Amino acid sequence: MMHVQNTPAPREVAKTTNKGALQLEPVNEQKNQQKETSEPQASSRQQRQFSVLSRWSVMASLARTLAESEQSEHTLKQLYSQLQKLEQKVVSEQSSGNTKQLASWVEQSSTLMSKLAKHPSSGVDWQLQPNSDGARQVTRQLPDNIDMLSIRPHAEKIQLMMGRSGKHLTLHLPSGQTPQQNLEQLKQAFSTRQIDVDLDSEQRLVFSASEKDGWALKEPWIMTGTGVRIAAGNPVSVSLQEPPHVLDKLTDLSKDTASLKMYRDEISQLQRRIRASLQRISEQRKELQASLRRIQQQLDDEQKMQQLSQNIRLNMHHSEQYSAAAIVSQANTTRNLVSFSLKFHAD
């Protein structure tokens, strides 16, 4: 019988293999631990950077809105000053009775004011309200021959296709509804398409939407329906119109050689409108400035905390005798803030 003897070679190989395996495991664990440690630190840095950049972006947006409100305020104050001069002229000419000459002067003044108010960079809209980029809207109104509000003896169904915007809706106006009820019905229907509906000072329907949704108001509408407002089965193309500027009425009065009282009444109404707009701008400015201060304070606090953390770590590294009490004393801060600062830097 042949006896096979075990040679030491396999044991040495196995030993070598086991040893090699044992040597590799700590290396892999160390690499994994370093990777796991570095990844959270990198992620934390990225989060802090993103947070700071986000705050800067918000600050830039707030600063831009603040500059736009200042431009609106400047325009409104110019208009108010010109209206005051016009009012003084009307009062001074009240006794002369020369309405034609006064009408010419009113027309010139209103033309200049309209040019100022309608300029793209004026910062005010057609109602002399502040109109920043973020709040700018597209406003249109129906032609005078389209009546959507008056009482009708029959129920009506009106279908609208709003140009190439893809927006469409169906209006149901029951019989016997009052103009106010019809208005509420329209508001509810158009709100589903991000379009606001209201009445102007002349009780005409006004449609408004943000610039993003404003294309539905810039292109002709195709209207079909049953009832009196829209002839049954006959599609009607309707082009919405820009509402008249509030300063246009003053120009129209001058062309009709209006009485002094009508001039003064219109001037007073415009002045009240401007004062209300200036009040809104003042309130908006306070809110914007408060928001800027809050964000700036957050950035300052974060920078101070990072600087404090770095100083503490350097002092502890260079001097073993540098106690926590000395750190707190020289930093003029509290124990909680130091702990939080160290943790923030470690993250």
Side-chain angles (χ1 to χ4, degrees), residues 115-219:
K115 185 177 180 180
L116 172 63
K118 294 178 181 179
H119 194 276
S121 62
S122 67
V124 297
D125 63 9
W126 61 282
Q127 297 185 91
L128 298 183
Q129 294 181 0
N131 194 13
S132 62
D133 282 342
R136 189 161 294 149
Q137 292 194 325
V138 177
T139 306
R140 296 291 187 272
Q141 66 181 34
L142 287 173
D144 293 336
N145 62 337
I146 303 294
D147 179 11
M148 304 283 284
L149 295 179
S150 60
I151 301 175
R152 289 291 189 266
H154 306 286
E156 296 177 303
K157 177 182 177 181
I158 302 173
Q159 294 177 323
L160 294 175
M161 176 62 71
M162 303 176 191
R164 292 173 296 179
S165 68
K167 294 186 177 183
H168 59 87
L169 56 84
T170 301
L171 302 174
H172 295 276
L173 301 177
S175 61
Q177 281 203 148
T178 65
Q180 183 61 37
Q181 289 174 325
N182 285 331
L183 177 61
E184 293 301 323
Q185 200 96 14
L186 292 174
K187 285 184 176 182
Q188 184 177 359
F190 278 93
S191 66
T192 61
R193 298 296 181 263
Q194 292 73 49
I195 298 175
D196 296 327
V197 184
D198 213 334
L199 296 177
D200 63 5
S201 58
E202 303 296 329
Q203 299 300 302
R204 290 173 296 196
L205 276 176
V206 177
F207 302 86
S208 58
S210 65
E211 286 191 314
K212 178 172 65 80
D213 300 308
W215 290 106
L217 303 178
K218 293 180 179 180
E219 296 183 343

Side-chain angles (χ1 to χ4, degrees), residues 90 117 147 152 156 181 184 189 238 288 298 319 328-329 338:
V90 171
D147 179 11
R152 289 291 189 266
E156 296 177 303
Q181 289 174 325
E184 293 301 323
V238 177
L288 291 172
Q298 291 174 356
S319 176
V328 172
S329 174
V338 173

Side-chain angles (χ1 to χ4, degrees), residues 309-321:
S309 175
Q310 292 174 0
N311 291 340
I312 293 173
R313 292 174 66 87
L314 287 173
N315 288 328
M316 283 184 160
H317 177 72
H318 293 299
S319 176
E320 295 179 355
Q321 298 178 351

